Amino acid sequence: MLTLTLPTPAKFRFWVTVRGHGWSDLPPFGLDMAAQSLSRVLHLPDGLIVRCVISAADERATALEVQVTGVERLSRTQTDAITRMLRRCLDMDRDLTDLYALIHNHPRLAWIENLGAGRLLSSPTVWEDLVKTLMTTNTTWAMTIQMVTRIAALGDPVAGGGHAFPTPQQLAALSLDELSGAVRAGYRNAYLYELATRIASGELEVESWRDADLPSAELLRRIKALKGFGDYAAGNLLRLLGHFDRLATDTVCRAVYQERINGGIAAQHDREIAAYYEPFGRWRGLVQWMDVMELTLVSA
DNA sequence: GCGTCCAGGTCTACC
DNA sequence: GGTAGACCTGGACGC
Protein backbone atom coordinates (compact mmCIF):
# COMPACT_ATOMS: atom_id res chain seq x y z
CA MET A 1 0.00 0.00 0.00
CA LEU A 2 1.21 3.49 -0.88
CA THR A 3 0.27 6.68 0.90
CA LEU A 4 -0.15 10.04 -0.81
CA THR A 5 -0.83 13.43 0.73
CA LEU A 6 -3.40 15.72 -0.85
CA PRO A 7 -3.21 19.34 0.34
CA THR A 8 -6.61 20.99 0.73
CA PRO A 9 -7.68 24.56 -0.05
CA ALA A 10 -8.65 26.97 2.74
CA LYS A 11 -11.97 26.21 4.45
CA PHE A 12 -12.17 22.81 2.75
CA ARG A 13 -14.30 20.37 4.76
CA PHE A 14 -13.73 16.76 3.75
CA TRP A 15 -16.69 14.95 5.28
CA VAL A 16 -19.16 17.72 4.44
CA THR A 17 -18.02 17.51 0.82
CA VAL A 18 -18.24 13.73 0.78
CA ARG A 19 -21.74 13.79 2.25
CA GLY A 20 -22.80 16.75 0.08
CA HIS A 21 -24.98 14.53 -2.08
CA GLY A 22 -25.64 10.90 -2.81
CA TRP A 23 -22.77 10.08 -5.18
CA SER A 24 -20.70 8.71 -2.27
CA ASP A 25 -23.27 5.89 -1.98
CA LEU A 26 -22.71 4.86 -5.60
CA PRO A 27 -19.86 2.57 -6.68
CA PRO A 28 -17.05 2.80 -7.48
CA PHE A 29 -17.23 5.25 -4.57
CA GLY A 30 -17.64 3.66 -1.17
CA LEU A 31 -18.15 5.03 2.32
CA ASP A 32 -16.84 3.88 5.66
CA MET A 33 -19.06 5.81 8.04
CA ALA A 34 -17.21 4.68 11.17
CA ALA A 35 -13.80 5.67 9.85
CA GLN A 36 -15.23 8.68 7.96
CA SER A 37 -13.29 7.65 4.87
CA LEU A 38 -14.20 7.61 1.20
CA SER A 39 -12.96 4.89 -1.14
CA ARG A 40 -12.77 5.22 -4.89
CA VAL A 41 -11.58 2.92 -7.66
CA LEU A 42 -9.78 4.97 -10.29
CA HIS A 43 -9.05 4.04 -13.88
CA LEU A 44 -5.93 6.07 -14.71
CA PRO A 45 -5.36 7.39 -18.25
CA ASP A 46 -2.59 4.81 -18.82
CA GLY A 47 -4.97 1.94 -17.96
CA LEU A 48 -3.76 1.28 -14.42
CA ILE A 49 -6.59 0.61 -11.96
CA VAL A 50 -6.10 1.46 -8.29
CA ARG A 51 -8.24 1.77 -5.20
CA CYS A 52 -7.86 4.92 -3.12
CA VAL A 53 -9.07 5.35 0.45
CA ILE A 54 -9.24 9.03 1.37
CA SER A 55 -9.49 10.34 4.90
CA ALA A 56 -8.80 13.47 6.94
CA ALA A 57 -7.19 13.57 10.37
CA ASP A 58 -9.95 15.97 11.36
CA GLU A 59 -12.52 18.16 9.61
CA ARG A 60 -10.18 21.15 9.48
CA ALA A 61 -7.13 19.20 8.31
CA THR A 62 -4.98 21.04 5.78
CA ALA A 63 -4.24 17.83 3.89
CA LEU A 64 -5.95 14.52 3.14
CA GLU A 65 -4.33 11.11 3.43
CA VAL A 66 -4.80 8.89 0.37
CA GLN A 67 -3.99 5.19 0.76
CA VAL A 68 -3.50 3.57 -2.65
CA THR A 69 -3.77 -0.18 -3.14
CA GLY A 70 -3.67 -2.37 -6.23
CA VAL A 71 -0.17 -1.29 -7.24
CA GLU A 72 3.33 -1.62 -5.76
CA ARG A 73 4.75 1.65 -7.06
CA LEU A 74 3.53 4.72 -8.90
CA SER A 75 5.27 6.85 -11.48
CA ARG A 76 5.21 10.62 -11.14
CA THR A 77 2.70 10.74 -13.99
CA GLN A 78 0.42 8.24 -12.25
CA THR A 79 0.66 10.11 -8.93
CA ASP A 80 -0.22 13.36 -10.70
CA ALA A 81 -3.19 11.67 -12.39
CA ILE A 82 -4.54 10.36 -9.06
CA THR A 83 -4.12 13.79 -7.48
CA ARG A 84 -5.83 15.51 -10.40
CA MET A 85 -8.75 13.07 -10.44
CA LEU A 86 -9.33 13.25 -6.68
CA ARG A 87 -9.14 17.04 -6.66
CA ARG A 88 -11.81 17.04 -9.34
CA CYS A 89 -13.98 14.52 -7.48
CA LEU A 90 -13.77 16.54 -4.28
CA ASP A 91 -14.43 19.87 -6.05
CA MET A 92 -11.28 21.31 -4.47
CA ASP A 93 -10.80 24.08 -7.03
CA ARG A 94 -14.22 25.63 -6.41
CA ASP A 95 -14.07 29.22 -5.07
CA LEU A 96 -17.11 29.71 -2.82
CA THR A 97 -16.18 33.19 -1.60
CA ASP A 98 -18.97 34.93 -3.52
CA LEU A 99 -21.59 32.41 -2.38
CA TYR A 100 -20.61 32.80 1.26
CA ALA A 101 -20.72 36.59 0.93
CA LEU A 102 -24.20 36.36 -0.61
CA ILE A 103 -25.67 34.30 2.23
CA HIS A 104 -23.52 35.60 5.07
CA ASN A 105 -26.38 37.11 7.08
CA HIS A 106 -29.19 35.04 5.62
CA PRO A 107 -31.37 33.79 8.49
CA ARG A 108 -31.88 30.35 6.98
CA LEU A 109 -28.74 29.78 4.93
CA ALA A 110 -25.86 31.01 7.09
CA TRP A 111 -25.21 27.40 8.11
CA ILE A 112 -23.72 26.74 4.64
CA GLU A 113 -20.77 29.03 5.31
CA ASN A 114 -20.49 27.99 8.94
CA LEU A 115 -20.22 24.35 7.91
CA GLY A 116 -17.99 25.00 4.91
CA ALA A 117 -20.56 23.33 2.67
CA GLY A 118 -21.15 23.93 -1.04
CA ARG A 119 -18.67 21.58 -2.72
CA LEU A 120 -20.24 18.65 -4.56
CA LEU A 121 -18.66 15.23 -4.98
CA SER A 122 -18.51 14.38 -8.67
CA SER A 123 -17.14 11.62 -10.85
CA PRO A 124 -13.74 11.71 -12.54
CA THR A 125 -15.48 11.76 -15.92
CA VAL A 126 -18.51 13.55 -17.35
CA TRP A 127 -19.51 10.18 -18.82
CA GLU A 128 -19.87 8.65 -15.35
CA ASP A 129 -21.85 11.64 -14.06
CA LEU A 130 -24.16 11.36 -17.08
CA VAL A 131 -24.79 7.67 -16.45
CA LYS A 132 -25.43 8.13 -12.76
CA THR A 133 -27.73 11.10 -13.35
CA LEU A 134 -29.71 9.05 -15.88
CA MET A 135 -30.11 6.34 -13.26
CA THR A 136 -31.62 8.83 -10.81
CA THR A 137 -34.49 9.69 -13.14
CA ASN A 138 -37.97 8.36 -12.49
CA THR A 139 -36.93 5.96 -9.78
CA THR A 140 -36.23 5.70 -6.08
CA TRP A 141 -32.78 6.20 -4.57
CA ALA A 142 -32.66 2.53 -3.56
CA MET A 143 -33.23 1.56 -7.17
CA THR A 144 -30.58 4.03 -8.34
CA ILE A 145 -28.03 2.35 -6.07
CA GLN A 146 -28.96 -1.08 -7.43
CA MET A 147 -28.79 -0.03 -11.09
CA VAL A 148 -25.48 1.81 -10.70
CA THR A 149 -24.02 -1.12 -8.75
CA ARG A 150 -24.88 -3.42 -11.64
CA ILE A 151 -23.37 -0.98 -14.16
CA ALA A 152 -20.18 -0.59 -12.12
CA ALA A 153 -19.78 -4.38 -12.03
CA LEU A 154 -19.27 -4.26 -15.82
CA GLY A 155 -16.00 -2.38 -15.41
CA ASP A 156 -12.51 -3.79 -15.05
CA PRO A 157 -11.85 -5.48 -11.68
CA VAL A 158 -9.38 -4.06 -9.19
CA ALA A 159 -7.14 -6.09 -6.91
CA GLY A 160 -8.87 -6.69 -3.59
CA GLY A 161 -12.40 -6.58 -5.05
CA GLY A 162 -14.61 -4.08 -6.79
CA HIS A 163 -14.46 -2.59 -10.25
CA ALA A 164 -13.54 0.60 -12.03
CA PHE A 165 -16.49 2.37 -13.61
CA PRO A 166 -16.90 0.92 -17.11
CA THR A 167 -15.88 3.00 -20.08
CA PRO A 168 -18.36 3.87 -22.85
CA GLN A 169 -16.43 1.44 -25.06
CA GLN A 170 -16.99 -1.41 -22.60
CA LEU A 171 -20.75 -0.87 -22.55
CA ALA A 172 -20.92 -0.29 -26.30
CA ALA A 173 -19.16 -3.62 -26.86
CA LEU A 174 -22.24 -5.37 -25.45
CA SER A 175 -25.49 -5.85 -27.33
CA LEU A 176 -28.51 -3.92 -26.07
CA ASP A 177 -30.00 -7.19 -24.83
CA GLU A 178 -26.83 -8.07 -22.93
CA LEU A 179 -26.66 -4.61 -21.38
CA SER A 180 -30.35 -4.68 -20.46
CA GLY A 181 -30.00 -8.10 -18.84
CA ALA A 182 -27.03 -6.99 -16.80
CA VAL A 183 -28.25 -3.55 -15.74
CA ARG A 184 -32.04 -4.07 -15.48
CA ALA A 185 -32.76 -0.36 -15.79
CA GLY A 186 -36.01 -0.72 -17.68
CA TYR A 187 -36.62 1.79 -20.47
CA ARG A 188 -33.40 3.58 -19.39
CA ASN A 189 -31.36 0.70 -20.86
CA ALA A 190 -31.89 2.03 -24.38
CA TYR A 191 -30.92 5.57 -23.36
CA LEU A 192 -27.78 4.28 -21.62
CA TYR A 193 -26.84 2.18 -24.62
CA GLU A 194 -27.33 5.03 -27.04
CA LEU A 195 -25.19 7.31 -24.85
CA ALA A 196 -22.39 4.73 -24.62
CA THR A 197 -22.37 3.90 -28.33
CA ARG A 198 -22.42 7.55 -29.42
CA ILE A 199 -19.46 8.38 -27.16
CA ALA A 200 -17.57 5.19 -28.04
CA SER A 201 -17.96 5.88 -31.77
CA GLY A 202 -16.63 9.41 -31.38
CA GLU A 203 -19.90 10.96 -32.56
CA LEU A 204 -20.43 12.54 -29.13
CA GLU A 205 -17.67 14.11 -27.04
CA VAL A 206 -18.69 14.96 -23.46
CA GLU A 207 -15.48 15.33 -21.42
CA SER A 208 -14.97 18.88 -22.75
CA TRP A 209 -18.25 19.82 -21.09
CA ARG A 210 -16.23 20.63 -17.96
CA ASP A 211 -14.78 23.62 -19.81
CA ALA A 212 -15.66 26.55 -17.57
CA ASP A 213 -15.96 28.84 -20.60
CA LEU A 214 -18.90 26.86 -21.99
CA PRO A 215 -22.05 28.96 -21.35
CA SER A 216 -24.76 27.30 -19.25
CA ALA A 217 -27.36 27.77 -21.98
CA GLU A 218 -25.22 25.93 -24.52
CA LEU A 219 -24.41 23.16 -22.04
CA LEU A 220 -28.10 22.83 -21.19
CA ARG A 221 -28.94 22.54 -24.87
CA ARG A 222 -26.36 19.78 -25.38
CA ILE A 223 -27.50 17.80 -22.33
CA LYS A 224 -31.19 18.02 -23.17
CA ALA A 225 -30.43 16.81 -26.67
CA LEU A 226 -29.54 13.46 -25.07
CA LYS A 227 -32.31 10.89 -24.78
CA GLY A 228 -33.56 10.56 -21.20
CA PHE A 229 -32.29 13.93 -20.01
CA GLY A 230 -35.09 16.34 -19.23
CA ASP A 231 -35.19 19.45 -17.05
CA TYR A 232 -34.30 17.75 -13.78
CA ALA A 233 -31.48 15.59 -15.17
CA ALA A 234 -29.98 18.47 -17.12
CA GLY A 235 -30.10 20.71 -14.05
CA ASN A 236 -28.45 18.03 -11.93
CA LEU A 237 -25.63 17.55 -14.39
CA LEU A 238 -25.12 21.30 -14.80
CA ARG A 239 -24.68 21.50 -11.02
CA LEU A 240 -22.07 18.74 -11.05
CA LEU A 241 -20.24 20.61 -13.81
CA GLY A 242 -20.15 23.78 -11.71
CA HIS A 243 -22.99 25.68 -13.39
CA PHE A 244 -25.37 26.74 -10.63
CA ASP A 245 -27.52 29.23 -12.55
CA ARG A 246 -30.11 26.56 -13.36
CA LEU A 247 -32.33 24.59 -10.98
CA ALA A 248 -32.87 20.84 -10.87
CA THR A 249 -36.34 20.62 -9.38
CA ASP A 250 -37.51 17.11 -8.50
CA THR A 251 -40.02 15.74 -6.03
CA VAL A 252 -37.62 16.14 -3.10
CA CYS A 253 -37.01 19.80 -3.96
CA ARG A 254 -40.76 20.39 -4.21
CA ALA A 255 -41.29 18.77 -0.81
CA VAL A 256 -38.51 20.84 0.77
CA TYR A 257 -39.98 24.03 -0.72
CA GLN A 258 -43.40 23.14 0.64
CA GLU A 259 -42.36 22.06 4.12
CA ARG A 260 -39.43 24.27 5.00
CA ILE A 261 -39.79 27.38 2.89
CA ASN A 262 -43.44 27.93 2.04
CA GLY A 263 -45.17 27.13 5.34
CA GLY A 264 -46.53 23.76 4.29
CA ILE A 265 -48.15 25.02 1.09
CA ALA A 266 -47.17 23.25 -2.12
CA ALA A 267 -45.96 25.33 -5.05
CA GLN A 268 -48.65 25.80 -7.68
CA HIS A 269 -46.02 25.35 -10.37
CA ASP A 270 -42.24 24.88 -10.60
CA ARG A 271 -42.12 28.50 -11.79
CA GLU A 272 -43.02 29.50 -8.23
CA ILE A 273 -39.97 27.60 -6.91
CA ALA A 274 -37.81 29.15 -9.62
CA ALA A 275 -38.96 32.62 -8.59
CA TYR A 276 -38.00 31.93 -4.98
CA TYR A 277 -34.42 31.03 -5.93
CA GLU A 278 -34.06 33.76 -8.55
CA PRO A 279 -32.41 36.28 -6.13
CA PHE A 280 -29.51 33.88 -5.58
CA GLY A 281 -28.43 34.52 -9.17
CA ARG A 282 -25.60 32.34 -10.44
CA TRP A 283 -25.65 30.36 -7.17
CA ARG A 284 -29.35 29.48 -7.21
CA GLY A 285 -28.90 25.83 -8.20
CA LEU A 286 -26.43 25.24 -5.40
CA VAL A 287 -28.60 27.04 -2.84
CA GLN A 288 -31.55 24.88 -3.88
CA TRP A 289 -29.46 21.75 -3.34
CA MET A 290 -28.18 22.98 0.00
CA ASP A 291 -31.81 23.38 1.09
CA VAL A 292 -32.32 19.71 0.27
CA MET A 293 -29.19 18.62 2.10
CA GLU A 294 -29.39 20.86 5.17
CA LEU A 295 -30.75 18.28 7.59
CA THR A 296 -28.28 15.61 6.42
CA LEU A 297 -25.24 17.87 6.56
CA VAL A 298 -26.01 19.69 9.76
CA SER A 299 -26.48 16.40 11.59
CA ALA A 300 -23.52 14.63 9.89
C1' DG B 1 -46.56 -17.33 -3.82
C1' DC B 2 -49.30 -14.36 -6.56
C1' DG B 3 -51.53 -10.14 -8.06
C1' DT B 4 -52.03 -5.25 -7.58
C1' DC B 5 -50.58 -0.72 -6.54
C1' DC B 6 -47.20 2.76 -6.22
C1' DA B 7 -43.07 6.05 -6.88
C1' DG B 8 -39.97 8.36 -9.79
C1' DG B 9 -38.75 11.86 -14.61
C1' DT B 10 -38.95 11.81 -19.63
C1' DC B 11 -40.84 11.09 -24.12
C1' DT B 12 -44.39 11.28 -27.49
C1' DA B 13 -48.72 12.37 -29.32
C1' DC B 14 -52.27 15.29 -29.17
C1' DC B 15 -55.01 19.50 -28.29
C1' DG C 1 -47.51 25.83 -24.17
C1' DG C 2 -49.97 22.39 -21.63
C1' DT C 3 -51.59 17.65 -20.70
C1' DA C 4 -52.32 12.52 -20.77
C1' DG C 5 -50.51 8.15 -21.02
C1' DA C 6 -46.78 4.94 -21.52
C1' DC C 7 -42.42 3.54 -20.10
C1' DC C 8 -39.77 -0.02 -16.17
C1' DT C 9 -38.32 -1.88 -11.77
C1' DG C 10 -38.90 -3.66 -7.35
C1' DG C 11 -40.78 -2.69 -2.77
C1' DA C 12 -45.07 -2.74 -0.09
C1' DC C 13 -49.26 -4.64 0.69
C1' DG C 14 -53.37 -7.71 0.69
C1' DC C 15 -55.06 -12.18 -0.09
Side-chain angles (χ1 to χ4, degrees), chain A residues 138 228 230 233 250-251:
Chain A
N138 197 23
D250 62 3
T251 51

PDB file of all heavy atoms in Angstrom, chain A residues 138 228 230 233 250-251, chain B residues 7-12:
ATOM      1  N   ASN A 138     -36.740   9.153 -12.567  1.00  0.00           N
ATOM      2  CA  ASN A 138     -37.968   8.362 -12.488  1.00  0.00           C
ATOM      3  C   ASN A 138     -37.793   7.066 -11.701  1.00  0.00           C
ATOM      4  O   ASN A 138     -38.266   6.011 -12.115  1.00  0.00           O
ATOM      5  CB  ASN A 138     -38.492   8.051 -13.904  1.00  0.00           C
ATOM      6  CG  ASN A 138     -39.942   7.617 -13.901  1.00  0.00           C
ATOM      7  OD1 ASN A 138     -40.682   7.935 -12.978  1.00  0.00           O
ATOM      8  ND2 ASN A 138     -40.350   6.896 -14.920  1.00  0.00           N
ATOM      9  N   GLY A 228     -33.432  10.881 -22.616  1.00  0.00           N
ATOM     10  CA  GLY A 228     -33.564  10.558 -21.204  1.00  0.00           C
ATOM     11  C   GLY A 228     -33.191  11.686 -20.271  1.00  0.00           C
ATOM     12  O   GLY A 228     -33.310  11.538 -19.056  1.00  0.00           O
ATOM     13  N   GLY A 230     -34.147  15.243 -19.220  1.00  0.00           N
ATOM     14  CA  GLY A 230     -35.093  16.338 -19.233  1.00  0.00           C
ATOM     15  C   GLY A 230     -34.619  17.468 -18.330  1.00  0.00           C
ATOM     16  O   GLY A 230     -33.422  17.576 -18.042  1.00  0.00           O
ATOM     17  N   ALA A 233     -32.777  16.237 -14.933  1.00  0.00           N
ATOM     18  CA  ALA A 233     -31.483  15.585 -15.166  1.00  0.00           C
ATOM     19  C   ALA A 233     -30.456  16.584 -15.684  1.00  0.00           C
ATOM     20  O   ALA A 233     -29.288  16.566 -15.264  1.00  0.00           O
ATOM     21  CB  ALA A 233     -31.645  14.420 -16.142  1.00  0.00           C
ATOM     22  N   ASP A 250     -36.865  18.427  -8.500  1.00  0.00           N
ATOM     23  CA  ASP A 250     -37.507  17.109  -8.503  1.00  0.00           C
ATOM     24  C   ASP A 250     -38.478  17.031  -7.325  1.00  0.00           C
ATOM     25  O   ASP A 250     -38.751  18.037  -6.657  1.00  0.00           O
ATOM     26  CB  ASP A 250     -36.472  15.983  -8.452  1.00  0.00           C
ATOM     27  CG  ASP A 250     -35.625  16.025  -7.185  1.00  0.00           C
ATOM     28  OD1 ASP A 250     -35.880  16.898  -6.328  1.00  0.00           O
ATOM     29  OD2 ASP A 250     -34.723  15.186  -7.046  1.00  0.00           O
ATOM     30  N   THR A 251     -39.009  15.863  -7.077  1.00  0.00           N
ATOM     31  CA  THR A 251     -40.022  15.742  -6.033  1.00  0.00           C
ATOM     32  C   THR A 251     -39.486  16.111  -4.648  1.00  0.00           C
ATOM     33  O   THR A 251     -40.217  16.659  -3.831  1.00  0.00           O
ATOM     34  CB  THR A 251     -40.577  14.315  -5.982  1.00  0.00           C
ATOM     35  OG1 THR A 251     -39.493  13.397  -5.907  1.00  0.00           O
ATOM     36  CG2 THR A 251     -41.420  14.008  -7.184  1.00  0.00           C
TER      37      THR A 251
ATOM     38  P    DA B   7     -47.807   7.133  -5.137  1.00  0.00           P
ATOM     39  OP1  DA B   7     -48.177   7.962  -3.977  1.00  0.00           O
ATOM     40  OP2  DA B   7     -48.450   7.333  -6.446  1.00  0.00           O
ATOM     41  O5'  DA B   7     -46.227   7.258  -5.350  1.00  0.00           O
ATOM     42  C5'  DA B   7     -45.338   6.832  -4.318  1.00  0.00           C
ATOM     43  C4'  DA B   7     -43.929   6.854  -4.860  1.00  0.00           C
ATOM     44  O4'  DA B   7     -43.737   5.698  -5.689  1.00  0.00           O
ATOM     45  C3'  DA B   7     -43.670   8.092  -5.726  1.00  0.00           C
ATOM     46  O3'  DA B   7     -42.642   8.873  -5.146  1.00  0.00           O
ATOM     47  C2'  DA B   7     -43.256   7.552  -7.089  1.00  0.00           C
ATOM     48  C1'  DA B   7     -43.069   6.053  -6.876  1.00  0.00           C
ATOM     49  N9   DA B   7     -43.665   5.228  -7.929  1.00  0.00           N
ATOM     50  C8   DA B   7     -44.880   5.393  -8.530  1.00  0.00           C
ATOM     51  N7   DA B   7     -45.152   4.490  -9.440  1.00  0.00           N
ATOM     52  C5   DA B   7     -44.033   3.680  -9.451  1.00  0.00           C
ATOM     53  C6   DA B   7     -43.692   2.540 -10.206  1.00  0.00           C
ATOM     54  N6   DA B   7     -44.488   2.002 -11.136  1.00  0.00           N
ATOM     55  N1   DA B   7     -42.498   1.959  -9.972  1.00  0.00           N
ATOM     56  C2   DA B   7     -41.705   2.492  -9.037  1.00  0.00           C
ATOM     57  N3   DA B   7     -41.911   3.561  -8.254  1.00  0.00           N
ATOM     58  C4   DA B   7     -43.108   4.117  -8.523  1.00  0.00           C
ATOM     59  P    DG B   8     -42.538  10.384  -5.606  1.00  0.00           P
ATOM     60  OP1  DG B   8     -41.896  11.072  -4.459  1.00  0.00           O
ATOM     61  OP2  DG B   8     -43.828  10.857  -6.148  1.00  0.00           O
ATOM     62  O5'  DG B   8     -41.514  10.350  -6.815  1.00  0.00           O
ATOM     63  C5'  DG B   8     -40.156   9.985  -6.588  1.00  0.00           C
ATOM     64  C4'  DG B   8     -39.528   9.611  -7.910  1.00  0.00           C
ATOM     65  O4'  DG B   8     -40.145   8.409  -8.396  1.00  0.00           O
ATOM     66  C3'  DG B   8     -39.769  10.639  -9.029  1.00  0.00           C
ATOM     67  O3'  DG B   8     -38.686  11.567  -9.063  1.00  0.00           O
ATOM     68  C2'  DG B   8     -39.796   9.789 -10.295  1.00  0.00           C
ATOM     69  C1'  DG B   8     -39.972   8.361  -9.791  1.00  0.00           C
ATOM     70  N9   DG B   8     -41.133   7.693 -10.380  1.00  0.00           N
ATOM     71  C8   DG B   8     -42.395   8.194 -10.501  1.00  0.00           C
ATOM     72  N7   DG B   8     -43.214   7.386 -11.102  1.00  0.00           N
ATOM     73  C5   DG B   8     -42.445   6.283 -11.399  1.00  0.00           C
ATOM     74  C6   DG B   8     -42.774   5.073 -12.071  1.00  0.00           C
ATOM     75  O6   DG B   8     -43.870   4.749 -12.550  1.00  0.00           O
ATOM     76  N1   DG B   8     -41.685   4.221 -12.166  1.00  0.00           N
ATOM     77  C2   DG B   8     -40.440   4.487 -11.679  1.00  0.00           C
ATOM     78  N2   DG B   8     -39.518   3.539 -11.858  1.00  0.00           N
ATOM     79  N3   DG B   8     -40.110   5.599 -11.050  1.00  0.00           N
ATOM     80  C4   DG B   8     -41.159   6.454 -10.957  1.00  0.00           C
ATOM     81  P    DG B   9     -38.970  13.004  -9.769  1.00  0.00           P
ATOM     82  OP1  DG B   9     -38.005  13.921  -9.142  1.00  0.00           O
ATOM     83  OP2  DG B   9     -40.416  13.313  -9.731  1.00  0.00           O
ATOM     84  O5'  DG B   9     -38.565  12.792 -11.293  1.00  0.00           O
ATOM     85  C5'  DG B   9     -37.215  12.490 -11.583  1.00  0.00           C
ATOM     86  C4'  DG B   9     -37.032  12.352 -13.082  1.00  0.00           C
ATOM     87  O4'  DG B   9     -37.925  11.347 -13.594  1.00  0.00           O
ATOM     88  C3'  DG B   9     -37.332  13.624 -13.887  1.00  0.00           C
ATOM     89  O3'  DG B   9     -36.340  13.704 -14.905  1.00  0.00           O
ATOM     90  C2'  DG B   9     -38.733  13.381 -14.440  1.00  0.00           C
ATOM     91  C1'  DG B   9     -38.754  11.861 -14.611  1.00  0.00           C
ATOM     92  N9   DG B   9     -40.070  11.235 -14.448  1.00  0.00           N
ATOM     93  C8   DG B   9     -40.996  11.479 -13.470  1.00  0.00           C
ATOM     94  N7   DG B   9     -42.072  10.741 -13.576  1.00  0.00           N
ATOM     95  C5   DG B   9     -41.836   9.958 -14.696  1.00  0.00           C
ATOM     96  C6   DG B   9     -42.646   8.952 -15.312  1.00  0.00           C
ATOM     97  O6   DG B   9     -43.772   8.564 -14.978  1.00  0.00           O
ATOM     98  N1   DG B   9     -42.024   8.394 -16.420  1.00  0.00           N
ATOM     99  C2   DG B   9     -40.778   8.757 -16.874  1.00  0.00           C
ATOM    100  N2   DG B   9     -40.334   8.119 -17.942  1.00  0.00           N
ATOM    101  N3   DG B   9     -40.016   9.694 -16.313  1.00  0.00           N
ATOM    102  C4   DG B   9     -40.606  10.247 -15.240  1.00  0.00           C
ATOM    103  P    DT B  10     -36.356  14.738 -16.090  1.00  0.00           P
ATOM    104  OP1  DT B  10     -34.963  15.092 -16.388  1.00  0.00           O
ATOM    105  OP2  DT B  10     -37.351  15.800 -15.797  1.00  0.00           O
ATOM    106  O5'  DT B  10     -36.899  13.852 -17.301  1.00  0.00           O
ATOM    107  C5'  DT B  10     -36.130  12.720 -17.696  1.00  0.00           C
ATOM    108  C4'  DT B  10     -36.739  12.077 -18.931  1.00  0.00           C
ATOM    109  O4'  DT B  10     -38.021  11.518 -18.602  1.00  0.00           O
ATOM    110  C3'  DT B  10     -36.961  13.042 -20.104  1.00  0.00           C
ATOM    111  O3'  DT B  10     -36.355  12.454 -21.250  1.00  0.00           O
ATOM    112  C2'  DT B  10     -38.491  13.134 -20.223  1.00  0.00           C
ATOM    113  C1'  DT B  10     -38.946  11.811 -19.629  1.00  0.00           C
ATOM    114  N1   DT B  10     -40.288  11.810 -18.983  1.00  0.00           N
ATOM    115  C2   DT B  10     -41.193  10.848 -19.365  1.00  0.00           C
ATOM    116  O2   DT B  10     -40.967  10.007 -20.228  1.00  0.00           O
ATOM    117  N3   DT B  10     -42.402  10.902 -18.699  1.00  0.00           N
ATOM    118  C4   DT B  10     -42.764  11.795 -17.707  1.00  0.00           C
ATOM    119  O4   DT B  10     -43.872  11.743 -17.187  1.00  0.00           O
ATOM    120  C5   DT B  10     -41.766  12.775 -17.356  1.00  0.00           C
ATOM    121  C7   DT B  10     -42.063  13.796 -16.288  1.00  0.00           C
ATOM    122  C6   DT B  10     -40.591  12.734 -18.003  1.00  0.00           C
ATOM    123  P    DC B  11     -36.336  13.235 -22.668  1.00  0.00           P
ATOM    124  OP1  DC B  11     -35.039  12.956 -23.309  1.00  0.00           O
ATOM    125  OP2  DC B  11     -36.793  14.625 -22.491  1.00  0.00           O
ATOM    126  O5'  DC B  11     -37.459  12.445 -23.475  1.00  0.00           O
ATOM    127  C5'  DC B  11     -37.357  11.034 -23.594  1.00  0.00           C
ATOM    128  C4'  DC B  11     -38.593  10.496 -24.308  1.00  0.00           C
ATOM    129  O4'  DC B  11     -39.729  10.569 -23.434  1.00  0.00           O
ATOM    130  C3'  DC B  11     -38.941  11.279 -25.569  1.00  0.00           C
ATOM    131  O3'  DC B  11     -39.075  10.353 -26.644  1.00  0.00           O
ATOM    132  C2'  DC B  11     -40.271  11.964 -25.236  1.00  0.00           C
ATOM    133  C1'  DC B  11     -40.839  11.085 -24.120  1.00  0.00           C
ATOM    134  N1   DC B  11     -41.667  11.795 -23.117  1.00  0.00           N
ATOM    135  C2   DC B  11     -42.913  11.271 -22.754  1.00  0.00           C
ATOM    136  O2   DC B  11     -43.307  10.239 -23.296  1.00  0.00           O
ATOM    137  N3   DC B  11     -43.650  11.913 -21.810  1.00  0.00           N
ATOM    138  C4   DC B  11     -43.187  13.020 -21.229  1.00  0.00           C
ATOM    139  N4   DC B  11     -43.938  13.613 -20.307  1.00  0.00           N
ATOM    140  C5   DC B  11     -41.921  13.576 -21.591  1.00  0.00           C
ATOM    141  C6   DC B  11     -41.204  12.932 -22.528  1.00  0.00           C
ATOM    142  P    DT B  12     -39.163  10.877 -28.159  1.00  0.00           P
ATOM    143  OP1  DT B  12     -38.432   9.882 -28.978  1.00  0.00           O
ATOM    144  OP2  DT B  12     -38.816  12.308 -28.206  1.00  0.00           O
ATOM    145  O5'  DT B  12     -40.707  10.746 -28.491  1.00  0.00           O
ATOM    146  C5'  DT B  12     -41.379   9.522 -28.211  1.00  0.00           C
ATOM    147  C4'  DT B  12     -42.874   9.741 -28.318  1.00  0.00           C
ATOM    148  O4'  DT B  12     -43.358  10.395 -27.128  1.00  0.00           O
ATOM    149  C3'  DT B  12     -43.283  10.617 -29.504  1.00  0.00           C
ATOM    150  O3'  DT B  12     -44.125   9.837 -30.350  1.00  0.00           O
ATOM    151  C2'  DT B  12     -44.019  11.807 -28.879  1.00  0.00           C
ATOM    152  C1'  DT B  12     -44.389  11.281 -27.492  1.00  0.00           C
ATOM    153  N1   DT B  12     -44.463  12.294 -26.418  1.00  0.00           N
ATOM    154  C2   DT B  12     -45.549  12.271 -25.566  1.00  0.00           C
ATOM    155  O2   DT B  12     -46.452  11.463 -25.671  1.00  0.00           O
ATOM    156  N3   DT B  12     -45.530  13.242 -24.585  1.00  0.00           N
ATOM    157  C4   DT B  12     -44.565  14.198 -24.384  1.00  0.00           C
ATOM    158  O4   DT B  12     -44.659  15.004 -23.456  1.00  0.00           O
ATOM    159  C5   DT B  12     -43.451  14.171 -25.296  1.00  0.00           C
ATOM    160  C7   DT B  12     -42.344  15.167 -25.150  1.00  0.00           C
ATOM    161  C6   DT B  12     -43.461  13.224 -26.259  1.00  0.00           C
TER     162       DT B  12
END
